[in-house]
């Protein structure tokens, strides 16, 4: 059986700058895959290529064996590729509730959307209390919860998470990681997660890729990478 | 007769107030188009004044040539302008979406010139207006005007071929007979008479109801034409507010205004939202163009979009570009500034005064009255 998502020798960049220099990644259905690496390695760019925010210059991205690079962002959303971008990117002037509704923009089952909003509120009770508040007025942790909840409203088949724990207190990031694992285990959501906190990411993921200046330098089961001396030295601070 | 010669004191003030509301409503209806497009695309659509012009010209042409009713001419003009707004975006702006702002700006000015030239070629460079009254031209020789719609009725005079007679308001044609105003021998005022419709070519004018005054005092009149503009502005601004706040399209528009890439990540087709924005703003400009031309008369030409367009742009900037309430506030403020300056100071410099107001506000509040320094953009 083919992979859910395949990146095949992907090159991408901005202007004259080449950022991704032939990246190949595979994500199987039902997996949690982590992508770790130093600042500026190209992790965000990789996710942007998958969701067609940034075009590929060479190589290809395939979704269930079908070419998906070269299309529009909305095409990827229709396939169920839901990108929760770095820095949350909430609609700051819209309410919490409206942000959740935007997440369900392509759905046409209002009762289902309403019950999903209730589910999000059950998952993140703080959002329920603040549903009529402007998203921009939420705390950083609440904003991250809302960004993830907004992504889940679309019923993702593949959830792309870019640094979901950035700037969060440890307790809150643990809660977010726990939520991701639950979603994966109970609802079978496939996850590709980019994380600064390599320790947490390797604890959560089944498999991981290590990226250095636009190239994948290591990959394997997360548990093995966690014990790799190079990874330990570079990313786990041990 | 200019206002300041005809009136004085309290009644002058009230008439100026009515004028201010009319000008303000017109500017606000146009300003909305600038502000919505800027809010989402960060582009000043300098051809927007021309959309207003095309709206007025289209309705005028439909009214005098195929002689459709005024309300239908208005609706069709809205449709034509919506299509024009869509085409401007599709042909001129969308291909430049990722190029420099200067390129889009120059294109906007180019589109503006093209539209002016095309309209000038199509309708001639002369000023036109919606005819105030319905009139009929006599096509045949030897036709008699009669006292009743009946060939046997008493003859009250002979209609010369080529003569133009007013159609009598308040009477409907019956059995192929058209009611006309006819000044009988020895009379000074025209009275009702009837002429055979087959020998007349009737050119419709504004309906009597539209020409009526809502308040008809000796010194203070409130023409229905003004009230129509106020009602149109109130209804359309409220409708737009509800659309933007409540509907799926409106929420998509707000999302695109805040962050286009993230809006696309929600599955929103940004290009379609932008096209819809152009269409809505253009239809509103059409309403302003038609109703304002019905009100003032004699202003319809390829040039008519320039000043209202520029003032409405100033209104949008003054209110805080990107903000719908700001467009309303800015439009009203400049409408009041223009009308009161024209009445009480110098009518020649009213546009200059509007710009001075805008410049003053922008010096002290660079983002406009309701604008905020950081539009949330990545
Ligand atoms: N929009 C852009 N325009 C130009 N250069 C960019 C843009 N986005 C990223 N870059 C550059 O591309 C390189 C890779 O950036 P990217 O955001 O993919 O890194 P990252 O691995 O996500 O880093 P971090 O861990 O800091 O988020 C960086 O050198 C960055 O400066
Ligand atoms: Mg990043």
């Amino acid at each position: 059986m083919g992979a859910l998502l395949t990146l095949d020798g992907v090159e991408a960049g901005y202007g004259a700058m080449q950022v991704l220099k032939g990246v190949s990644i595979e994500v199987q259905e039902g997996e949690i895959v982590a992508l770790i690496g130093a600042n500026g390695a190209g992790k965000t760019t990789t996710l942007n290529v998958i969701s067609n925010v940034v075009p590929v210059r060479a190589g290809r991205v395939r979704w269930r064996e079908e070419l998906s690079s070269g299309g529009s962002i909305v095409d990827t959303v229709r396939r169920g590729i839901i990108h929760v971008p770095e820095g949350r990117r909430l609609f700051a002037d819209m309410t919490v509730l409206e942000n959740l509704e935007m997440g369900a923009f392509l759905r046409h089952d209002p009762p289902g959307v309403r019950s999903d909003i209730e589910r999000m509120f059950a998952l993140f009770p703080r959002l329920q209390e603040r549903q009529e508040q402007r998203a921009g007025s939420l705390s950083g942790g609440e904003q991250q919860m809302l960004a993830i909840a907004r992504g889940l409203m679309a019923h993702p088949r593949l959830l792309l998470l870019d640094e979901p724990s950035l700037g969060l207190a440890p307790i809150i990031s643990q809660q977010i990681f726990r939520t991701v694992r639950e979603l994966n285990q109970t609802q079978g959501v496939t996850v590709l997660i980019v994380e600064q906190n390599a320790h947490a990411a390797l604890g959560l993921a089944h498999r991981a890729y290590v990226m250095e200046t636009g190239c994948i330098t290591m990959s394997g089961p997360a548990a093995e990478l966690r014990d790799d001396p190079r990874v330990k030295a570079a990313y786990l601070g041990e | 007769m200019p206002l300041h010669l005809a009136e004085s004191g309290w009644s002058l003030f009230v008439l100026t107030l009515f004028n201010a509301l009319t000008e303000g409503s017109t500017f606000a209806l146009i300003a909305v188009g600038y502000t919505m497009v800027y809010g989402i695309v960060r582009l000043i659509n300098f051809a927007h004044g021309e959309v207003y012009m095309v709206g007025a010209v289209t309705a005028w042409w439909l009214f005098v040539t195929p002689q459709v009713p005024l309300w239908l001419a208005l609706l069709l003009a809205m449709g034509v302008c919506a299509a024009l707004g869509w085409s401007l975006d599709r042909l001129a702006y969308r291909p430049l979406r990722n190029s420099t702002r200067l390129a889009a700006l120059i294109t906007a000015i180019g589109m503006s010139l093209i539209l002016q030239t095309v309209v000038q070629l199509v309708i001639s460079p002369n000023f036109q207006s919606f005819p105030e009254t319905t009139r009929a031209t006599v096509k045949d020789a030897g036709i008699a005007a009669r006292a009743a719609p009946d060939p046997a009725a008493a003859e009250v005079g002979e209609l010369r071929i080529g003569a133009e007679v007013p159609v009598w308001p308040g009477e409907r044609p019956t059995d192929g007979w058209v009611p006309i105003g006819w000044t009988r021998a020895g009379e000074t005022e025209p009275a009702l008479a009837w002429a055979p419709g087959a020998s007349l070519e009737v050119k419709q004018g504004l309906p009597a109801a539209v020409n009526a005054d809502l308040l008809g005092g000796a010194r203070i009149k409130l023409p229905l034409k003004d009230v129509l503009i106020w009602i149109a502005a109130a209804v359309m601004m409220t409708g737009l507010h509800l659309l933007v706040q409540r509907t799926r399209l409106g929420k998509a528009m707000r999302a695109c205004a805040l962050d286009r890439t993230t809006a696309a990540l929600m599955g929103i087709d940004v290009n379609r939202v932008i096209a819809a924005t152009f269409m809505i703003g253009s239809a509103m400009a059409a309403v302003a163009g038609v109703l304002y031309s019905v009100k003032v008369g004699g202003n319809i030409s390829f040039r008519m979009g320039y000043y209202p367009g520029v003032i409405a742009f100033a209104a949008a900037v003054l209110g805080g570009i990107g903000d719908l309430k700001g467009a309303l506030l800015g439009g009203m403020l400049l409408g009041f500034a223009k009308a009161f300056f024209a009445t009480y100071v110098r009518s020649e410099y009213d546009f200059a005064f509007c710009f001075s107001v805008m410049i003053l506000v922008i010096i002290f509040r660079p983002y406009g009255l309701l604008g905020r320094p950081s539009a949330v953009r990545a």
Side-chain angles (χ1 to χ4, degrees), chain B residues 43-260:
Chain B
L43 160 84
I44 302 296
N45 174 17
F46 270 115
H48 191 56
E50 266 52 69
V51 175
Y52 162 92
M53 178 270 290
V54 168
V57 166
T58 305
W60 166 81
W61 184 85
L62 288 168
F63 190 77
V64 301
T65 310
Q67 306 208 40
V68 308
L70 186 61
W71 63 269
L72 185 57
L74 174 66
L75 285 184
L76 291 173
M78 289 172 74
V80 166
C81 285
L84 176 63
W86 181 88
S87 321
L88 280 175
D89 174 51
R90 191 67 191 80
L91 301 176
Y93 302 138
R94 189 165 148 188
L96 297 173
R97 204 85 90 206
N98 296 317
S99 55
T100 65
R101 284 187 193 196
L102 194 57
L105 192 70
I106 292 167
T107 306
I109 293 169
M111 290 321 282
S112 177
L113 292 174
I114 290 173
L115 286 171
Q116 288 190 25
T117 311
V118 167
V119 170
Q120 184 181 5
L121 288 173
V122 172
I123 72 156
S124 94
N126 299 329
F127 286 97
Q128 310 285 353
S129 58
F130 285 93
E132 283 282 310
T133 52
T134 305
R135 304 187 71 82
T137 310
V138 183
K139 287 190 298 186
D140 301 322
I143 303 300
R146 295 179 188 275
D150 181 348
E155 204 178 309
V156 298
E158 198 199 315
L159 296 166
R160 271 182 304 110
I161 185 165
E164 203 185 54
V165 290
V167 173
W168 194 254
E171 277 287 343
R172 305 195 139 273
T174 39
D175 302 330
W177 289 77
V178 174
I180 59 170
W182 183 258
T183 312
R184 288 159 169 81
E187 301 276 330
T188 50
E189 291 294 310
L192 173 62
W194 296 85
S199 301
L200 298 178
E201 188 188 339
V202 176
K203 287 265 180 209
Q204 73 167 338
L206 293 175
V210 171
N211 285 321
D213 291 328
L214 208 63
L215 262 180
R219 312 184 73 187
I220 297 179
K221 281 193 181 7
L222 175 51
L224 189 69
K225 290 169 181 171
D226 291 82
V227 180
L228 283 179
I229 299 179
W230 307 349
I231 292 174
V235 168
M236 299 204 81
M237 299 297 285
T238 310
L240 185 62
H241 177 76
L242 292 177
L243 176 108
V244 166
Q245 291 302 320
R246 305 265 170 89
T247 66
R248 190 174 130 90
L249 171 64
K251 286 175 187 178
M253 286 165 70
R254 281 155 65 206
C256 289
L258 290 166
D259 184 340
R260 269 197 270 163

Side-chain angles (χ1 to χ4, degrees), chain A residues 43-44 86 162-163:
Chain A
K43 308 181 294 295
T44 297
E86 186 172 26
D162 199 343
E163 314 228 3

Side-chain angles (χ1 to χ4, degrees), chain A residues 48 51 53 73-74 76-78 81-85 88-95 98-99 101-108 134 150, chain B residues 244-246 248-256 258-270 272-273 372 374-378:
Chain A
N48 280 340
S51 55
V53 171
I73 299 177
V74 176
T76 67
V77 181
R78 285 188 199 284
I81 303 177
I82 302 302
H83 185 168
V84 177
R88 307 172 191 115
R89 305 278 290 254
L90 295 173
F91 300 114
D93 278 343
M94 299 173 81
T95 65
E98 285 172 334
N99 268 275
E101 288 170 3
M102 296 325 286
F105 190 80
L106 286 183
R107 291 174 56 185
H108 292 282
R134 279 181 62 244
R150 183 179 67 176
Chain B
V244 166
Q245 291 302 320
R246 305 265 170 89
R248 190 174 130 90
L249 171 64
K251 286 175 187 178
M253 286 165 70
R254 281 155 65 206
C256 289
L258 290 166
D259 184 340
R260 269 197 270 163
T261 304
T262 307
L265 288 177
M266 303 295 113
I268 296 171
D269 186 334
V270 177
R272 272 175 66 180
V273 171
R372 267 174 300 142
S374 65
V376 185
R377 295 272 301 170

Side-chain angles (χ1 to χ4, degrees), chain A residues 100-218:
Chain A
L100 291 175
E101 288 170 3
M102 296 325 286
F105 190 80
L106 286 183
R107 291 174 56 185
H108 292 282
D109 57 329
V113 171
R114 236 167 293 133
S115 77
D116 277 350
I117 289 177
E118 292 309 317
R119 269 184 39 220
M120 292 308 140
F121 286 156
L123 202 57
F124 303 109
R126 318 211 6 184
L127 296 183
Q128 179 157 32
E129 295 158 27
R130 291 161 177 74
Q131 55 179 303
E132 293 302 331
Q133 215 169 301
R134 279 181 62 244
S137 70
L138 298 179
S139 77
E142 291 159 355
Q143 289 195 14
Q144 191 63 61
M145 293 173 198
L146 178 55
I148 293 175
R150 183 179 67 176
L152 295 178
M153 287 300 297
H155 285 180
R157 302 225 172 80
L158 170 65
L159 189 60
L160 306 177
L161 291 175
D162 199 343
E163 314 228 3
S165 77
L166 191 72
L168 299 189
I171 304 238
I172 314 254
S173 19
Q174 275 163 29
Q175 190 199 329
I176 284 184
F177 290 129
R178 218 172 23 244
T179 307
V180 171
R181 175 174 293 143
E182 271 170 28
L183 285 167
N184 173 259
Q185 283 171 352
T186 62
Q187 289 169 48
V189 178
T190 308
V191 179
L192 175 57
I193 181 172
V194 165
E195 244 314 314
Q196 287 288 309
N197 182 345
H199 208 81
L202 294 176
L204 176 70
H206 303 109
R207 286 190 310 115
Y209 290 86
V210 177
M211 176 172 256
E212 279 170 36
T213 58
C215 302
I216 300 293
T217 51
M218 275 183 274

